[in-house]
Amino acid sequence: MYKNKKIFALIPARKGSIGIKNKNIKELGKKKLIEWTLSFVKKMKLFDHILISSDCNTIKKINENKYKYD
């Protein structure tokens, strides 16, 4: 909370990509790219809510299973 206002993060994560197909669910190291993004945003401890917008069910499941936010 900042100055009595809640702050939320919006992370857009499309399934398709012109350059790299399904790039958000490709592994980079031991995590998928979207997992790196989510863990970074969570570690910032700045946001009250984190929302992922995606057209990919796999990305939605990753968020539901590993990164539950309120």
Side-chain angles (χ1 to χ4, degrees):
M1 188 167 304
Y2 177 75
K3 294 186 179 183
N4 295 325
K5 296 185 182 196
K6 291 193 173 194
I7 302 172
F8 77 93
L10 175 61
I11 301 170
R14 289 182 19 190
K15 180 179 180 181
S17 173
I18 294 171
I20 302 170
K21 188 173 181 166
N22 298 321
K23 71 178 175 192
N24 285 310
I25 56 176
K26 297 255 187 221
E27 294 228 353
L28 180 65
K30 294 186 178 187
K31 295 183 190 178
K32 294 179 178 12
L33 185 60
I34 192 67
E35 291 177 293
W36 285 107
T37 303
L38 288 167
S39 62
F40 175 75
V41 171
K42 185 179 177 184
K43 285 179 186 176
M44 290 175 69
K45 296 183 181 183
L46 175 67
F47 303 102
D48 298 296
H49 300 281
I50 299 169
L51 175 65
I52 296 177
S53 175
S54 182
D55 58 349
C56 178
N57 289 331
T58 304
I59 292 172
K60 291 176 187 177
K61 286 179 184 175
I62 289 169
N63 182 46
E64 290 170 3
N65 294 335
K66 294 188 177 185
Y67 300 93
K68 295 186 180 188
Y69 299 99
D70 269 339

